[in-house]
Amino acid sequence: VQLEATNASAAGAVMEDAKAFAKRHFPEGYELSTAGFADMEVAVTDMIVRSQITSILVALVVVFVIVMVAYRSFVAGIYGIIPLSFAILINFGVMGLTGITLNVPTSMIASIAIGIGVDYTIHFLSGYRYNLRFTEDRTEVTKNTLLSTGKAIVFNAVSVGAGFAVLLLSNFNPLRYVGLMVALTMATSSLAAMTVLPVLLNIFKPQFLRR
């Protein structure tokens, strides 16, 4: 079979259809197997997807443990991974909408997002905790945190994102995708730390920030 499409999903669909046809029409004792580049592509894609899921789960668990130990609170660990989860969901949503495939280079984006995004979360939690010592007004605490720690988060996100955005000038598509997705991840993870996190802190008022 000669395929016009090069993506693994199309090849996988043809392979499954062929196996179903063989099961219905081939005589007893005959078995159908697939080979060639398409078969390898499907196998590599499956491996990337499995490793991607595993790496994301492991990274989130590690972040959860680090934040939990730092603040000596199980609840703190949950707050630590919520902004990162938003950033990862947006990352994969954009990939799906724009047709960016999950391959070896793009599969690293989620792990990069977690590794860098956790800094923003910890910085904001630390700044919020510090400002909470001076007033009980959560709105004032959020404002002071955004004006101090928030500025540092924005400067860091913009500088790192701009550095990776240079890859958009590359003629090699995988590098362009990496530059685009890392720059986007810097924006989403920093914004999540400065919007989603303070909303949760102001609504639920967790006690670990007073320790």
Side-chain angles (χ1 to χ4, degrees), residues 80-120:
I81 63 176
I82 289 177
L84 300 178
S85 300
F86 272 89
I88 293 172
L89 287 174
I90 294 174
N91 172 66
F92 285 115
V94 170
M95 288 179 64
L97 291 174
T98 57
I100 298 176
T101 58
L102 183 64
N103 48 41
V104 174
T106 57
S107 65
M108 298 185 295
I109 304 301
S111 299
I112 294 174
I114 295 174
I116 299 179
V118 67
D119 294 346
Y120 303 145

PDB file of all heavy atoms in Angstrom, residues 80-120:
ATOM      1  N   GLY A  80       0.598  24.162  44.020  1.00  0.00           N
ATOM      2  CA  GLY A  80       1.794  24.284  43.197  1.00  0.00           C
ATOM      3  C   GLY A  80       1.633  23.734  41.795  1.00  0.00           C
ATOM      4  O   GLY A  80       2.269  24.225  40.851  1.00  0.00           O
ATOM      5  N   ILE A  81       0.789  22.711  41.626  1.00  0.00           N
ATOM      6  CA  ILE A  81       0.666  22.086  40.306  1.00  0.00           C
ATOM      7  C   ILE A  81      -0.526  22.601  39.508  1.00  0.00           C
ATOM      8  O   ILE A  81      -0.605  22.341  38.298  1.00  0.00           O
ATOM      9  CB  ILE A  81       0.567  20.547  40.419  1.00  0.00           C
ATOM     10  CG1 ILE A  81      -0.699  20.143  41.180  1.00  0.00           C
ATOM     11  CG2 ILE A  81       1.813  19.987  41.081  1.00  0.00           C
ATOM     12  CD1 ILE A  81      -0.903  18.645  41.238  1.00  0.00           C
ATOM     13  N   ILE A  82      -1.442  23.332  40.134  1.00  0.00           N
ATOM     14  CA  ILE A  82      -2.618  23.819  39.398  1.00  0.00           C
ATOM     15  C   ILE A  82      -2.242  24.771  38.261  1.00  0.00           C
ATOM     16  O   ILE A  82      -2.688  24.583  37.122  1.00  0.00           O
ATOM     17  CB  ILE A  82      -3.630  24.473  40.355  1.00  0.00           C
ATOM     18  CG1 ILE A  82      -4.289  23.404  41.223  1.00  0.00           C
ATOM     19  CG2 ILE A  82      -4.694  25.250  39.583  1.00  0.00           C
ATOM     20  CD1 ILE A  82      -5.255  23.945  42.248  1.00  0.00           C
ATOM     21  N   PRO A  83      -1.433  25.817  38.476  1.00  0.00           N
ATOM     22  CA  PRO A  83      -1.052  26.702  37.354  1.00  0.00           C
ATOM     23  C   PRO A  83      -0.305  25.953  36.250  1.00  0.00           C
ATOM     24  O   PRO A  83      -0.495  26.245  35.063  1.00  0.00           O
ATOM     25  CB  PRO A  83      -0.154  27.752  38.015  1.00  0.00           C
ATOM     26  CG  PRO A  83      -0.528  27.725  39.453  1.00  0.00           C
ATOM     27  CD  PRO A  83      -0.866  26.306  39.741  1.00  0.00           C
ATOM     28  N   LEU A  84       0.523  24.982  36.633  1.00  0.00           N
ATOM     29  CA  LEU A  84       1.262  24.211  35.634  1.00  0.00           C
ATOM     30  C   LEU A  84       0.313  23.378  34.782  1.00  0.00           C
ATOM     31  O   LEU A  84       0.522  23.226  33.571  1.00  0.00           O
ATOM     32  CB  LEU A  84       2.268  23.293  36.336  1.00  0.00           C
ATOM     33  CG  LEU A  84       3.333  23.981  37.194  1.00  0.00           C
ATOM     34  CD1 LEU A  84       4.213  22.944  37.867  1.00  0.00           C
ATOM     35  CD2 LEU A  84       4.169  24.909  36.345  1.00  0.00           C
ATOM     36  N   SER A  85      -0.722  22.850  35.401  1.00  0.00           N
ATOM     37  CA  SER A  85      -1.703  22.050  34.657  1.00  0.00           C
ATOM     38  C   SER A  85      -2.409  22.897  33.608  1.00  0.00           C
ATOM     39  O   SER A  85      -2.647  22.445  32.481  1.00  0.00           O
ATOM     40  CB  SER A  85      -2.724  21.439  35.621  1.00  0.00           C
ATOM     41  OG  SER A  85      -2.089  20.606  36.578  1.00  0.00           O
ATOM     42  N   PHE A  86      -2.739  24.143  33.966  1.00  0.00           N
ATOM     43  CA  PHE A  86      -3.358  25.049  33.006  1.00  0.00           C
ATOM     44  C   PHE A  86      -2.429  25.296  31.823  1.00  0.00           C
ATOM     45  O   PHE A  86      -2.856  25.271  30.663  1.00  0.00           O
ATOM     46  CB  PHE A  86      -3.708  26.384  33.681  1.00  0.00           C
ATOM     47  CG  PHE A  86      -5.061  26.393  34.323  1.00  0.00           C
ATOM     48  CD1 PHE A  86      -5.214  25.996  35.639  1.00  0.00           C
ATOM     49  CD2 PHE A  86      -6.181  26.794  33.620  1.00  0.00           C
ATOM     50  CE1 PHE A  86      -6.456  25.991  36.244  1.00  0.00           C
ATOM     51  CE2 PHE A  86      -7.432  26.797  34.212  1.00  0.00           C
ATOM     52  CZ  PHE A  86      -7.577  26.397  35.531  1.00  0.00           C
ATOM     53  N   ALA A  87      -1.160  25.539  32.111  1.00  0.00           N
ATOM     54  CA  ALA A  87      -0.194  25.815  31.049  1.00  0.00           C
ATOM     55  C   ALA A  87      -0.043  24.614  30.120  1.00  0.00           C
ATOM     56  O   ALA A  87       0.035  24.769  28.890  1.00  0.00           O
ATOM     57  CB  ALA A  87       1.159  26.185  31.652  1.00  0.00           C
ATOM     58  N   ILE A  88      -0.005  23.401  30.672  1.00  0.00           N
ATOM     59  CA  ILE A  88       0.139  22.197  29.856  1.00  0.00           C
ATOM     60  C   ILE A  88      -1.090  21.984  28.983  1.00  0.00           C
ATOM     61  O   ILE A  88      -0.984  21.633  27.802  1.00  0.00           O
ATOM     62  CB  ILE A  88       0.375  20.975  30.765  1.00  0.00           C
ATOM     63  CG1 ILE A  88       1.736  21.100  31.459  1.00  0.00           C
ATOM     64  CG2 ILE A  88       0.318  19.688  29.957  1.00  0.00           C
ATOM     65  CD1 ILE A  88       1.960  20.050  32.516  1.00  0.00           C
ATOM     66  N   LEU A  89      -2.289  22.195  29.552  1.00  0.00           N
ATOM     67  CA  LEU A  89      -3.524  22.028  28.779  1.00  0.00           C
ATOM     68  C   LEU A  89      -3.572  23.010  27.604  1.00  0.00           C
ATOM     69  O   LEU A  89      -3.945  22.641  26.489  1.00  0.00           O
ATOM     70  CB  LEU A  89      -4.739  22.242  29.688  1.00  0.00           C
ATOM     71  CG  LEU A  89      -5.038  21.120  30.681  1.00  0.00           C
ATOM     72  CD1 LEU A  89      -6.182  21.526  31.610  1.00  0.00           C
ATOM     73  CD2 LEU A  89      -5.388  19.824  29.958  1.00  0.00           C
ATOM     74  N   ILE A  90      -3.189  24.257  27.857  1.00  0.00           N
ATOM     75  CA  ILE A  90      -3.170  25.253  26.786  1.00  0.00           C
ATOM     76  C   ILE A  90      -2.139  24.864  25.731  1.00  0.00           C
ATOM     77  O   ILE A  90      -2.376  25.011  24.520  1.00  0.00           O
ATOM     78  CB  ILE A  90      -2.867  26.648  27.347  1.00  0.00           C
ATOM     79  CG1 ILE A  90      -4.021  27.106  28.251  1.00  0.00           C
ATOM     80  CG2 ILE A  90      -2.647  27.656  26.224  1.00  0.00           C
ATOM     81  CD1 ILE A  90      -3.757  28.412  28.983  1.00  0.00           C
ATOM     82  N   ASN A  91      -1.002  24.356  26.174  1.00  0.00           N
ATOM     83  CA  ASN A  91       0.062  23.934  25.258  1.00  0.00           C
ATOM     84  C   ASN A  91      -0.449  22.875  24.275  1.00  0.00           C
ATOM     85  O   ASN A  91      -0.306  23.017  23.056  1.00  0.00           O
ATOM     86  CB  ASN A  91       1.234  23.387  26.075  1.00  0.00           C
ATOM     87  CG  ASN A  91       2.299  22.742  25.212  1.00  0.00           C
ATOM     88  OD1 ASN A  91       2.950  23.394  24.433  1.00  0.00           O
ATOM     89  ND2 ASN A  91       2.450  21.430  25.346  1.00  0.00           N
ATOM     90  N   PHE A  92      -1.080  21.833  24.784  1.00  0.00           N
ATOM     91  CA  PHE A  92      -1.575  20.767  23.918  1.00  0.00           C
ATOM     92  C   PHE A  92      -2.793  21.225  23.118  1.00  0.00           C
ATOM     93  O   PHE A  92      -3.022  20.758  21.994  1.00  0.00           O
ATOM     94  CB  PHE A  92      -1.913  19.525  24.736  1.00  0.00           C
ATOM     95  CG  PHE A  92      -0.706  18.752  25.186  1.00  0.00           C
ATOM     96  CD1 PHE A  92      -0.396  18.632  26.525  1.00  0.00           C
ATOM     97  CD2 PHE A  92       0.129  18.160  24.258  1.00  0.00           C
ATOM     98  CE1 PHE A  92       0.719  17.927  26.939  1.00  0.00           C
ATOM     99  CE2 PHE A  92       1.250  17.450  24.653  1.00  0.00           C
ATOM    100  CZ  PHE A  92       1.547  17.333  26.005  1.00  0.00           C
ATOM    101  N   GLY A  93      -3.592  22.139  23.680  1.00  0.00           N
ATOM    102  CA  GLY A  93      -4.723  22.679  22.943  1.00  0.00           C
ATOM    103  C   GLY A  93      -4.282  23.448  21.712  1.00  0.00           C
ATOM    104  O   GLY A  93      -4.844  23.286  20.619  1.00  0.00           O
ATOM    105  N   VAL A  94      -3.251  24.275  21.876  1.00  0.00           N
ATOM    106  CA  VAL A  94      -2.715  25.045  20.745  1.00  0.00           C
ATOM    107  C   VAL A  94      -2.104  24.103  19.708  1.00  0.00           C
ATOM    108  O   VAL A  94      -2.268  24.292  18.493  1.00  0.00           O
ATOM    109  CB  VAL A  94      -1.676  26.073  21.227  1.00  0.00           C
ATOM    110  CG1 VAL A  94      -0.944  26.707  20.058  1.00  0.00           C
ATOM    111  CG2 VAL A  94      -2.349  27.141  22.069  1.00  0.00           C
ATOM    112  N   MET A  95      -1.411  23.067  20.157  1.00  0.00           N
ATOM    113  CA  MET A  95      -0.829  22.103  19.224  1.00  0.00           C
ATOM    114  C   MET A  95      -1.924  21.433  18.401  1.00  0.00           C
ATOM    115  O   MET A  95      -1.782  21.231  17.192  1.00  0.00           O
ATOM    116  CB  MET A  95      -0.017  21.047  19.992  1.00  0.00           C
ATOM    117  CG  MET A  95       1.286  21.563  20.555  1.00  0.00           C
ATOM    118  SD  MET A  95       2.197  20.297  21.492  1.00  0.00           S
ATOM    119  CE  MET A  95       2.563  19.109  20.200  1.00  0.00           C
ATOM    120  N   GLY A  96      -3.025  21.090  19.062  1.00  0.00           N
ATOM    121  CA  GLY A  96      -4.117  20.454  18.347  1.00  0.00           C
ATOM    122  C   GLY A  96      -4.792  21.389  17.357  1.00  0.00           C
ATOM    123  O   GLY A  96      -5.103  20.993  16.228  1.00  0.00           O
ATOM    124  N   LEU A  97      -5.011  22.633  17.747  1.00  0.00           N
ATOM    125  CA  LEU A  97      -5.694  23.599  16.884  1.00  0.00           C
ATOM    126  C   LEU A  97      -4.845  24.010  15.684  1.00  0.00           C
ATOM    127  O   LEU A  97      -5.372  24.276  14.603  1.00  0.00           O
ATOM    128  CB  LEU A  97      -6.079  24.838  17.691  1.00  0.00           C
ATOM    129  CG  LEU A  97      -7.191  24.651  18.743  1.00  0.00           C
ATOM    130  CD1 LEU A  97      -7.359  25.921  19.567  1.00  0.00           C
ATOM    131  CD2 LEU A  97      -8.509  24.283  18.071  1.00  0.00           C
ATOM    132  N   THR A  98      -3.543  24.080  15.879  1.00  0.00           N
ATOM    133  CA  THR A  98      -2.655  24.535  14.793  1.00  0.00           C
ATOM    134  C   THR A  98      -2.079  23.386  13.972  1.00  0.00           C
ATOM    135  O   THR A  98      -1.358  23.627  12.995  1.00  0.00           O
ATOM    136  CB  THR A  98      -1.498  25.370  15.369  1.00  0.00           C
ATOM    137  OG1 THR A  98      -0.783  24.585  16.350  1.00  0.00           O
ATOM    138  CG2 THR A  98      -2.027  26.639  16.025  1.00  0.00           C
ATOM    139  N   GLY A  99      -2.362  22.156  14.387  1.00  0.00           N
ATOM    140  CA  GLY A  99      -1.876  21.008  13.622  1.00  0.00           C
ATOM    141  C   GLY A  99      -0.427  20.649  13.875  1.00  0.00           C
ATOM    142  O   GLY A  99       0.175  19.923  13.085  1.00  0.00           O
ATOM    143  N   ILE A 100       0.146  21.133  14.981  1.00  0.00           N
ATOM    144  CA  ILE A 100       1.525  20.776  15.330  1.00  0.00           C
ATOM    145  C   ILE A 100       1.528  19.357  15.897  1.00  0.00           C
ATOM    146  O   ILE A 100       0.846  19.071  16.880  1.00  0.00           O
ATOM    147  CB  ILE A 100       2.110  21.760  16.351  1.00  0.00           C
ATOM    148  CG1 ILE A 100       2.161  23.168  15.764  1.00  0.00           C
ATOM    149  CG2 ILE A 100       3.508  21.322  16.780  1.00  0.00           C
ATOM    150  CD1 ILE A 100       2.647  24.218  16.741  1.00  0.00           C
ATOM    151  N   THR A 101       2.262  18.475  15.272  1.00  0.00           N
ATOM    152  CA  THR A 101       2.249  17.071  15.679  1.00  0.00           C
ATOM    153  C   THR A 101       3.135  16.830  16.902  1.00  0.00           C
ATOM    154  O   THR A 101       4.083  17.577  17.162  1.00  0.00           O
ATOM    155  CB  THR A 101       2.730  16.171  14.535  1.00  0.00           C
ATOM    156  OG1 THR A 101       4.057  16.579  14.134  1.00  0.00           O
ATOM    157  CG2 THR A 101       1.794  16.275  13.348  1.00  0.00           C
ATOM    158  N   LEU A 102       2.808  15.777  17.625  1.00  0.00           N
ATOM    159  CA  LEU A 102       3.607  15.382  18.777  1.00  0.00           C
ATOM    160  C   LEU A 102       4.744  14.494  18.285  1.00  0.00           C
ATOM    161  O   LEU A 102       4.538  13.367  17.850  1.00  0.00           O
ATOM    162  CB  LEU A 102       2.743  14.618  19.784  1.00  0.00           C
ATOM    163  CG  LEU A 102       3.429  14.197  21.089  1.00  0.00           C
ATOM    164  CD1 LEU A 102       3.852  15.423  21.888  1.00  0.00           C
ATOM    165  CD2 LEU A 102       2.499  13.320  21.920  1.00  0.00           C
ATOM    166  N   ASN A 103       5.959  15.033  18.320  1.00  0.00           N
ATOM    167  CA  ASN A 103       7.127  14.272  17.902  1.00  0.00           C
ATOM    168  C   ASN A 103       8.220  14.432  18.953  1.00  0.00           C
ATOM    169  O   ASN A 103       7.963  14.952  20.041  1.00  0.00           O
ATOM    170  CB  ASN A 103       7.611  14.718  16.518  1.00  0.00           C
ATOM    171  CG  ASN A 103       7.727  16.234  16.424  1.00  0.00           C
ATOM    172  OD1 ASN A 103       8.188  16.891  17.353  1.00  0.00           O
ATOM    173  ND2 ASN A 103       7.294  16.795  15.300  1.00  0.00           N
ATOM    174  N   VAL A 104       9.410  13.988  18.622  1.00  0.00           N
ATOM    175  CA  VAL A 104      10.499  14.032  19.617  1.00  0.00           C
ATOM    176  C   VAL A 104      10.773  15.456  20.120  1.00  0.00           C
ATOM    177  O   VAL A 104      10.838  15.689  21.327  1.00  0.00           O
ATOM    178  CB  VAL A 104      11.780  13.387  19.050  1.00  0.00           C
ATOM    179  CG1 VAL A 104      12.946  13.558  20.023  1.00  0.00           C
ATOM    180  CG2 VAL A 104      11.548  11.907  18.770  1.00  0.00           C
ATOM    181  N   PRO A 105      10.944  16.461  19.244  1.00  0.00           N
ATOM    182  CA  PRO A 105      11.201  17.816  19.742  1.00  0.00           C
ATOM    183  C   PRO A 105      10.022  18.406  20.532  1.00  0.00           C
ATOM    184  O   PRO A 105      10.210  18.948  21.623  1.00  0.00           O
ATOM    185  CB  PRO A 105      11.474  18.632  18.461  1.00  0.00           C
ATOM    186  CG  PRO A 105      11.850  17.628  17.438  1.00  0.00           C
ATOM    187  CD  PRO A 105      11.056  16.420  17.765  1.00  0.00           C
ATOM    188  N   THR A 106       8.804  18.301  19.989  1.00  0.00           N
ATOM    189  CA  THR A 106       7.648  18.927  20.653  1.00  0.00           C
ATOM    190  C   THR A 106       7.239  18.179  21.918  1.00  0.00           C
ATOM    191  O   THR A 106       6.564  18.752  22.776  1.00  0.00           O
ATOM    192  CB  THR A 106       6.447  19.001  19.698  1.00  0.00           C
ATOM    193  OG1 THR A 106       6.123  17.688  19.221  1.00  0.00           O
ATOM    194  CG2 THR A 106       6.752  19.891  18.525  1.00  0.00           C
ATOM    195  N   SER A 107       7.624  16.910  22.045  1.00  0.00           N
ATOM    196  CA  SER A 107       7.266  16.160  23.249  1.00  0.00           C
ATOM    197  C   SER A 107       8.005  16.668  24.481  1.00  0.00           C
ATOM    198  O   SER A 107       7.619  16.370  25.616  1.00  0.00           O
ATOM    199  CB  SER A 107       7.565  14.665  23.053  1.00  0.00           C
ATOM    200  OG  SER A 107       8.953  14.436  22.910  1.00  0.00           O
ATOM    201  N   MET A 108       9.074  17.444  24.258  1.00  0.00           N
ATOM    202  CA  MET A 108       9.838  17.975  25.387  1.00  0.00           C
ATOM    203  C   MET A 108       9.233  19.251  25.959  1.00  0.00           C
ATOM    204  O   MET A 108       9.607  19.686  27.049  1.00  0.00           O
ATOM    205  CB  MET A 108      11.282  18.252  24.950  1.00  0.00           C
ATOM    206  CG  MET A 108      12.043  17.025  24.498  1.00  0.00           C
ATOM    207  SD  MET A 108      13.777  17.388  24.143  1.00  0.00           S
ATOM    208  CE  MET A 108      13.625  18.490  22.739  1.00  0.00           C
ATOM    209  N   ILE A 109       8.286  19.860  25.231  1.00  0.00           N
ATOM    210  CA  ILE A 109       7.764  21.160  25.626  1.00  0.00           C
ATOM    211  C   ILE A 109       7.070  21.102  26.970  1.00  0.00           C
ATOM    212  O   ILE A 109       7.244  21.980  27.820  1.00  0.00           O
ATOM    213  CB  ILE A 109       6.796  21.700  24.557  1.00  0.00           C
ATOM    214  CG1 ILE A 109       7.492  21.757  23.193  1.00  0.00           C
ATOM    215  CG2 ILE A 109       6.289  23.081  24.952  1.00  0.00           C
ATOM    216  CD1 ILE A 109       8.711  22.623  23.167  1.00  0.00           C
ATOM    217  N   ALA A 110       6.251  20.070  27.194  1.00  0.00           N
ATOM    218  CA  ALA A 110       5.504  19.977  28.439  1.00  0.00           C
ATOM    219  C   ALA A 110       6.437  19.880  29.641  1.00  0.00           C
ATOM    220  O   ALA A 110       6.202  20.513  30.679  1.00  0.00           O
ATOM    221  CB  ALA A 110       4.562  18.777  28.406  1.00  0.00           C
ATOM    222  N   SER A 111       7.507  19.102  29.507  1.00  0.00           N
ATOM    223  CA  SER A 111       8.468  18.980  30.605  1.00  0.00           C
ATOM    224  C   SER A 111       9.188  20.305  30.852  1.00  0.00           C
ATOM    225  O   SER A 111       9.445  20.685  31.998  1.00  0.00           O
ATOM    226  CB  SER A 111       9.488  17.879  30.291  1.00  0.00           C
ATOM    227  OG  SER A 111       8.845  16.637  30.143  1.00  0.00           O
ATOM    228  N   ILE A 112       9.505  21.015  29.752  1.00  0.00           N
ATOM    229  CA  ILE A 112      10.120  22.333  29.893  1.00  0.00           C
ATOM    230  C   ILE A 112       9.161  23.290  30.593  1.00  0.00           C
ATOM    231  O   ILE A 112       9.554  24.084  31.457  1.00  0.00           O
ATOM    232  CB  ILE A 112      10.528  22.887  28.514  1.00  0.00           C
ATOM    233  CG1 ILE A 112      11.653  22.040  27.903  1.00  0.00           C
ATOM    234  CG2 ILE A 112      10.969  24.349  28.621  1.00  0.00           C
ATOM    235  CD1 ILE A 112      12.015  22.437  26.493  1.00  0.00           C
ATOM    236  N   ALA A 113       7.883  23.200  30.229  1.00  0.00           N
ATOM    237  CA  ALA A 113       6.869  24.064  30.841  1.00  0.00           C
ATOM    238  C   ALA A 113       6.784  23.839  32.339  1.00  0.00           C
ATOM    239  O   ALA A 113       6.685  24.791  33.126  1.00  0.00           O
ATOM    240  CB  ALA A 113       5.510  23.802  30.194  1.00  0.00           C
ATOM    241  N   ILE A 114       6.827  22.588  32.747  1.00  0.00           N
ATOM    242  CA  ILE A 114       6.763  22.278  34.173  1.00  0.00           C
ATOM    243  C   ILE A 114       8.021  22.764  34.886  1.00  0.00           C
ATOM    244  O   ILE A 114       7.951  23.366  35.961  1.00  0.00           O
ATOM    245  CB  ILE A 114       6.577  20.766  34.378  1.00  0.00           C
ATOM    246  CG1 ILE A 114       5.222  20.329  33.821  1.00  0.00           C
ATOM    247  CG2 ILE A 114       6.684  20.401  35.854  1.00  0.00           C
ATOM    248  CD1 ILE A 114       4.999  18.832  33.836  1.00  0.00           C
ATOM    249  N   GLY A 115       9.181  22.510  34.273  1.00  0.00           N
ATOM    250  CA  GLY A 115      10.442  22.892  34.905  1.00  0.00           C
ATOM    251  C   GLY A 115      10.584  24.383  35.096  1.00  0.00           C
ATOM    252  O   GLY A 115      11.102  24.847  36.126  1.00  0.00           O
ATOM    253  N   ILE A 116      10.141  25.156  34.118  1.00  0.00           N
ATOM    254  CA  ILE A 116      10.257  26.610  34.228  1.00  0.00           C
ATOM    255  C   ILE A 116       9.060  27.211  34.946  1.00  0.00           C
ATOM    256  O   ILE A 116       9.197  28.129  35.742  1.00  0.00           O
ATOM    257  CB  ILE A 116      10.402  27.234  32.823  1.00  0.00           C
ATOM    258  CG1 ILE A 116      11.663  26.696  32.142  1.00  0.00           C
ATOM    259  CG2 ILE A 116      10.451  28.752  32.893  1.00  0.00           C
ATOM    260  CD1 ILE A 116      11.889  27.220  30.742  1.00  0.00           C
ATOM    261  N   GLY A 117       7.865  26.687  34.673  1.00  0.00           N
ATOM    262  CA  GLY A 117       6.656  27.246  35.269  1.00  0.00           C
ATOM    263  C   GLY A 117       6.594  27.116  36.770  1.00  0.00           C
ATOM    264  O   GLY A 117       6.003  27.962  37.448  1.00  0.00           O
ATOM    265  N   VAL A 118       7.215  26.079  37.324  1.00  0.00           N
ATOM    266  CA  VAL A 118       7.184  25.912  38.781  1.00  0.00           C
ATOM    267  C   VAL A 118       7.907  27.064  39.473  1.00  0.00           C
ATOM    268  O   VAL A 118       7.567  27.439  40.607  1.00  0.00           O
ATOM    269  CB  VAL A 118       7.798  24.548  39.177  1.00  0.00           C
ATOM    270  CG1 VAL A 118       9.283  24.504  38.871  1.00  0.00           C
ATOM    271  CG2 VAL A 118       7.542  24.262  40.653  1.00  0.00           C
ATOM    272  N   ASP A 119       8.895  27.659  38.808  1.00  0.00           N
ATOM    273  CA  ASP A 119       9.590  28.818  39.381  1.00  0.00           C
ATOM    274  C   ASP A 119       8.616  29.964  39.616  1.00  0.00           C
ATOM    275  O   ASP A 119       8.626  30.607  40.675  1.00  0.00           O
ATOM    276  CB  ASP A 119      10.718  29.286  38.454  1.00  0.00           C
ATOM    277  CG  ASP A 119      11.830  28.262  38.347  1.00  0.00           C
ATOM    278  OD1 ASP A 119      11.851  27.337  39.173  1.00  0.00           O
ATOM    279  OD2 ASP A 119      12.663  28.392  37.451  1.00  0.00           O
ATOM    280  N   TYR A 120       7.773  30.234  38.622  1.00  0.00           N
ATOM    281  CA  TYR A 120       6.817  31.326  38.743  1.00  0.00           C
ATOM    282  C   TYR A 120       5.830  31.071  39.880  1.00  0.00           C
ATOM    283  O   TYR A 120       5.476  31.979  40.637  1.00  0.00           O
ATOM    284  CB  TYR A 120       6.046  31.507  37.430  1.00  0.00           C
ATOM    285  CG  TYR A 120       6.927  31.758  36.234  1.00  0.00           C
ATOM    286  CD1 TYR A 120       6.600  31.251  34.977  1.00  0.00           C
ATOM    287  CD2 TYR A 120       8.099  32.498  36.347  1.00  0.00           C
ATOM    288  CE1 TYR A 120       7.401  31.483  33.868  1.00  0.00           C
ATOM    289  CE2 TYR A 120       8.909  32.736  35.245  1.00  0.00           C
ATOM    290  CZ  TYR A 120       8.560  32.218  34.018  1.00  0.00           C
ATOM    291  OH  TYR A 120       9.364  32.453  32.935  1.00  0.00           O
TER     292      TYR A 120
END
